[in-house]
Amino acid sequence: MFNLSVVNIVPDAHKDAINQIAELYGCGENNLSVKLIDSTGNIFWGCHSWWKPEHYAIFSDDGLRAQVVPAELAPALEHLYERLMLDGNSQENWQSALSELGLSLVEVEVEAE
């Protein structure tokens, strides 16, 4: 059962590495696609996903990660913020993560045609 709500947020400098790691795990490309900003203008990227707790346990095991994640990408994991909520509300988990880190969504302006 996919009942583990996971929010991932990373500073802009580590976005590409974390996206590459997600792709190595078969999660597709460009997972961190929500642009965020803090009060001083620093850019972050985030996403939400649903996991099975047993799959997340395998993903988060350092020994197993070392078998999948190349050494040059591994340092980016130190900058990865993860917020987990079992059987919780994904929107609540997302909003709590943004609040904890003092982040807000970057508003994208759409040009009129």
Side-chain angles (χ1 to χ4, degrees), residues 95-110:
Q95 291 303 324
S96 294
L98 295 183
S99 178
E100 285 173 17
L101 298 175
L103 299 173
S104 57
L105 294 173
V106 172
E107 300 297 327
V108 178
E109 293 184 26
V110 178

Side-chain angles (χ1 to χ4, degrees), residues 5-113:
S5 169
V6 179
V7 172
N8 295 112
I9 297 174
V10 68
D12 186 54
H14 303 286
K15 174 190 175 201
D16 291 342
I18 296 297
N19 274 333
Q20 287 176 17
I21 291 169
E23 197 166 358
L24 289 170
Y25 278 95
C27 298
E29 58 185 48
N30 198 29
N31 284 280
L32 294 164
S33 59
V34 180
K35 192 172 186 179
L36 305 165
I37 193 166
D38 69 9
S39 62
T40 59
N42 295 308
I43 299 297
F44 294 80
W45 295 88
C47 70
H48 174 272
S49 56
W50 286 103
W51 288 71
K52 291 182 179 183
E54 59 272 21
H55 290 169
Y56 185 80
I58 292 169
F59 168 74
S60 60
D61 179 273
D62 288 337
L64 295 174
R65 263 189 185 171
Q67 296 174 26
V68 176
V69 178
E72 66 271 11
L73 297 178
L77 290 166
E78 295 175 19
H79 302 278
L80 179 64
Y81 166 89
E82 295 179 291
R83 188 172 199 288
L84 311 175
M85 182 183 280
L86 186 62
D87 296 325
N89 178 298
S90 59
Q91 194 60 252
E92 179 184 323
N93 194 19
W94 177 253
Q95 291 303 324
S96 294
L98 295 183
S99 178
E100 285 173 17
L101 298 175
L103 299 173
S104 57
L105 294 173
V106 172
E107 300 297 327
V108 178
E109 293 184 26
V110 178
E111 294 184 26
E113 293 183 21

